[in-house]
Amino acid sequence: MRGPSRSANKTLRAAGRPGEARQELARAAEVLRQSGDQYYEAQAHEALLLIAEAAGDENAGRAALARMAEIHVRLKSPRAEELTERLARFPKV
């Protein structure tokens, strides 16, 4: 994510408003998906993963990690293998 959105989400999380940060990140991820900007979409999902892990939300965490891994594999990113392995170890819900 770029510019104000990134800092706004950090601010919302730091202010104890992770629900609002999650909503903004989910909207950003969808806009980025629709625009085809996969790199920044993956970053949005990484932030969603952090929020989900902090909240103990395994379903949301798995979904964010799965989308991140999918994008990184598609982009042939150096992180693809790491994320795929992490997803395989992620708790099943």
Side-chain angles (χ1 to χ4, degrees), residues 5 21 25 43 47 54 57 64 66 70-72 74 79 81-82 91-92:
S5 294
L25 285 162
Q43 285 191 329
D57 186 343
E70 178 185 339
I71 292 168
H72 281 274
R74 186 176 303 122
R79 293 189 67 198
E81 184 177 350
E82 163 213 341
K92 307 284 190 263

Side-chain angles (χ1 to χ4, degrees), residues 26-85:
R27 278 195 284 269
E30 179 58 23
V31 167
L32 292 163
R33 184 192 65 75
Q34 290 176 1
S35 72
D37 196 342
Q38 294 182 343
Y39 175 80
Y40 288 106
E41 180 191 350
Q43 285 191 329
H45 285 289
E46 189 157 14
L48 285 166
L49 174 61
L50 292 173
I51 291 170
E53 287 178 334
D57 186 343
E58 291 180 352
N59 287 330
R62 175 173 268 290
L65 182 56
R67 182 64 181 145
M68 279 175 57
E70 178 185 339
I71 292 168
H72 281 274
V73 166
R74 186 176 303 122
L75 297 176
K76 298 180 178 17
S77 161
R79 293 189 67 198
E81 184 177 350
E82 163 213 341
L83 293 170
T84 302
E85 290 172 0

